[in-house]
Amino acid sequence: MTPNKNEFNPCALVPVYNHGSTVRDVVLSLDKYDLPVILVDDGSDEDTAQALREVDGEFSTCHLFTHEVNQGKGGAVITGLVEAEKLGYTHALQVDADGQHDVSAVEIFLKESQAHREALVAGYPVYDESVPTARKLGRKLTTGMVYIETLSRDIVDAMCGFRMYPVESCCRLIEATRVGKRMDFDTQFLVKLHWRGVKMIFHPVRVIYPEGGISHFRMFRDNVMISKMHTFLVIGMIFRSPRLIARKFKRS
């Protein structure tokens, strides 16, 4: 049955790229919250594709969509958001397929999203000792850049992939502007939602880096891409600065 758009109808959105060994556990952990799950296979290898077909067959609440060619995590999330709107879901909880996120926070996110329908509810990471030092330093640098790009401290963390999207607002942003589809997506998407006035609420989420976990980060290529993204976001901020400053004064 297609959900009623006039009600609070959340789903989970899991972008998958070669995480065939962990995706079932992620779906199983979400199933106890009665969340339908949109799986987006972003051009994975055949082992993962087979694992996804098995998961799709096992869980009746799954919706599986497939990219024939890898588009990047952002491309998979964009596809998932567009399909979520078509299916009538009002909110989509993005969860990584590698098992990094502690899904016990799902209940809090659901309550916050239901209470604040127009807001994006996002996680900020609480790490254990498994986190690489480079990740922590990179996060601090990104957070500083986002403060500049939004002229605010509204975005506590722009990189955590555990977040509840208000689907309609996100789909209107996707229609209105270009959004990066790879490692630039998470940060750029939040900054552009902020520019459009979308309220954001942040909660702590425990994040682990499993031993033997798969990383798709490419040091040179992705750092160049992220540097270009921040450059264009700063330029975008300059053009929007009168509006952003006026918004700050209005709040205060």
Side-chain angles (χ1 to χ4, degrees):
M1 180 182 294
T2 301
N4 185 341
K5 289 185 178 182
N6 295 321
E7 300 176 354
F8 176 65
N9 292 305
C11 67
L13 166 55
V14 183
V16 184
Y17 181 54
N18 295 343
H19 289 104
S21 63
T22 55
V23 67
R24 183 186 180 278
D25 288 340
V26 172
V27 174
L28 184 62
S29 68
L30 294 167
D31 187 59
K32 63 184 178 183
Y33 297 100
D34 295 323
L35 273 176
V37 180
I38 293 176
L39 296 167
V40 182
D41 177 5
D42 191 28
S44 298
D45 56 33
E46 181 52 36
D47 287 344
T48 298
Q50 178 60 34
L52 285 169
R53 288 191 291 268
E54 292 173 1
V55 169
D56 185 40
E58 179 181 357
F59 296 91
S60 60
T61 54
C62 280
H63 307 277
L64 177 60
F65 300 93
T66 301
H67 291 166
E68 295 302 324
V69 178
N70 176 260
Q71 296 185 22
K73 176 184 175 182
V77 174
I78 289 170
T79 293
L81 288 169
V82 171
E83 296 299 338
E85 184 172 51
K86 290 178 182 177
L87 290 166
Y89 295 111
T90 59
H91 295 75
L93 176 68
Q94 178 187 330
V95 182
D96 286 353
D98 57 6
Q100 281 190 5
H101 298 137
D102 175 15
V103 298
S104 65
V106 168
E107 193 169 353
I108 296 173
F109 277 53
L110 289 171
K111 288 179 179 178
E112 286 285 5
S113 287
Q114 188 164 17
H116 306 279
R117 299 283 185 92
E118 303 303 318
L120 179 141
V121 183
Y124 64 86
V126 178
Y127 295 116
D128 63 10
E129 63 279 0
S130 66
V131 60
T133 301
R135 289 290 181 95
K136 292 179 70 174
L137 293 176
R139 219 169 201 99
K140 289 181 179 179
L141 178 60
T142 295
T143 299
M145 291 301 302
V146 168
Y147 289 166
I148 295 170
E149 291 153 7
T150 61
L151 296 181
S152 76
R153 292 177 177 262
D154 294 340
I155 298 178
V156 177
D157 184 277
M159 297 178 69
C160 183
F162 191 90
R163 50 180 68 162
M164 179 76 85
Y165 293 107
V167 170
E168 184 176 2
S169 297
C170 292
C171 287
R172 300 297 77 78
L173 172 62
I174 292 165
E175 291 170 354
T177 187
R178 180 188 175 279
V179 181
K181 293 185 175 182
R182 295 193 178 274
M183 293 296 179
D184 50 350
F185 171 80
D186 282 335
T187 299
Q188 186 185 66
F189 204 61
L190 256 62
V191 170
K192 290 191 172 184
L193 283 173
H194 181 275
W195 286 351
R196 293 170 73 90
V198 174
K199 180 181 178 180
M200 299 183 185
I201 300 169
F202 289 84
H203 283 281
V205 175
R206 288 194 297 118
V207 178
I208 62 170
Y209 284 80
E211 187 175 348
I214 300 172
S215 173
H216 300 298
F217 189 83
R218 300 294 179 264
M219 186 64 68
F220 178 77
R221 182 196 69 185
D222 290 334
N223 277 323
V224 170
M225 180 191 305
I226 290 168
S227 297
K228 289 173 64 176
M229 173 199 70
H230 283 303
T231 299
F232 283 111
L233 288 177
V234 169
I235 294 170
M237 175 275 294
I238 293 170
F239 284 104
R240 292 169 176 81
S241 57
R243 188 194 321 162
L244 295 174
I245 293 169
R247 186 194 298 172
K248 288 185 68 172
F249 277 106
K250 185 177 180 180
R251 288 180 181 176
S252 62

